[in-house]
Amino acid sequence: MNQPPASSRLTDAVHGLANEVVLALRSGGHLATVCGAAGIDEDDRTGVAAVRVIGADLLLPSVLRGERPHPGDVAVLHRAAQEFPPKPGAPASTAWSHWAMLSALHRVAAPVPAGAAGTAPAGLDEPGVTGLDEAPWQSFTHQLSQLAPLAVPAASSAVERVARCRTTDLSRGFVRAVRRRDWAQAAGAGRWLAALGGEPPTLGLATGLDFVELMGGLDPRVALNVRAARLMSEARHR
């Protein structure tokens, strides 16, 4: 019996894993193991590759709820970081995604309470942000949407510090992405705005996120970022 190509298996694994993260975010309680629910363990190379794609968001339910992640999820995330390090000359988004994974793993021993600010672990060098602070707002929003796993209240980074100074540009980018029906970019930008705060009151972020979820929520990675945005907004307004 012919097996589907590796790319198709990886796509399916990423889709399934993202769905389990969304379910954990929606559950209101602790899910024992996201990887276990998705049928992934350390010996499943396709599953580990899917974890590398999801990155630090594997631990997002625990981060946003101030809970300790399941050791099984930590182990698979660690394996993914070891197995798939950035190659020389990799895009900045890949380097930052890897850094976010390592940063999340460093925080596991002493998790930061939900909603609390934190700093990068000592000794963990951040990739560069050359040109990010001067990028046109359209390009800036595109780049930030690719780095949505960095948009969490428990971790500070150079990307977060640049984004905090450009919430107006992010807001413009969010509106543009919605108008262009680019739901993935809109969800990523919306998540950053929810994490940072400071968006113009006229933006109507909550309503915009509802629309993004309605139109693009069948994509579990869109649903993941929208749900994360809602949880962070709720935490900021308590």
Side-chain angles (χ1 to χ4, degrees), residues 6 18-19 34 40 42 71 73 76 88 114 132 149 171 181 195 197 200-202 207 210:
N19 267 325
V34 174
I40 294 171
E42 292 177 77
D73 291 337
V76 180
L132 188 62
S171 299
R181 305 176 74 85
T202 54
T207 301
D210 287 345

Side-chain angles (χ1 to χ4, degrees), residues 56-140:
D57 276 345
L58 179 69
L59 305 186
L60 185 63
S62 298
V63 169
L64 294 184
R65 300 191 187 284
E67 299 171 344
R68 289 186 178 275
H70 191 279
D73 291 337
V74 174
V76 180
L77 186 64
H78 187 267
R79 181 66 177 270
Q82 287 185 315
E83 291 285 324
F84 300 101
K87 296 179 180 179
S93 58
T94 301
W96 272 107
S97 175
H98 186 70
W99 180 89
M101 294 169 65
L102 296 179
S103 180
L105 288 167
H106 273 74
R107 292 196 306 271
V108 165
V112 179
T119 58
L124 183 57
D125 293 335
E126 295 184 352
V129 290
T130 304
L132 188 62
D133 54 345
E134 298 176 354
W137 61 269
Q138 300 92 331
S139 173
F140 178 72

Side-chain angles (χ1 to χ4, degrees), residues 32-55:
T33 165
V34 174
C35 284
I40 294 171
D41 60 34
E42 292 177 77
D43 297 323
D44 175 3
R45 186 164 177 81
T46 299
V48 171
V51 169
R52 176 62 188 89
V53 174
I54 295 297

Side-chain angles (χ1 to χ4, degrees), residues 143 146 156:
Q143 293 179 68
Q146 294 182 319
S156 176

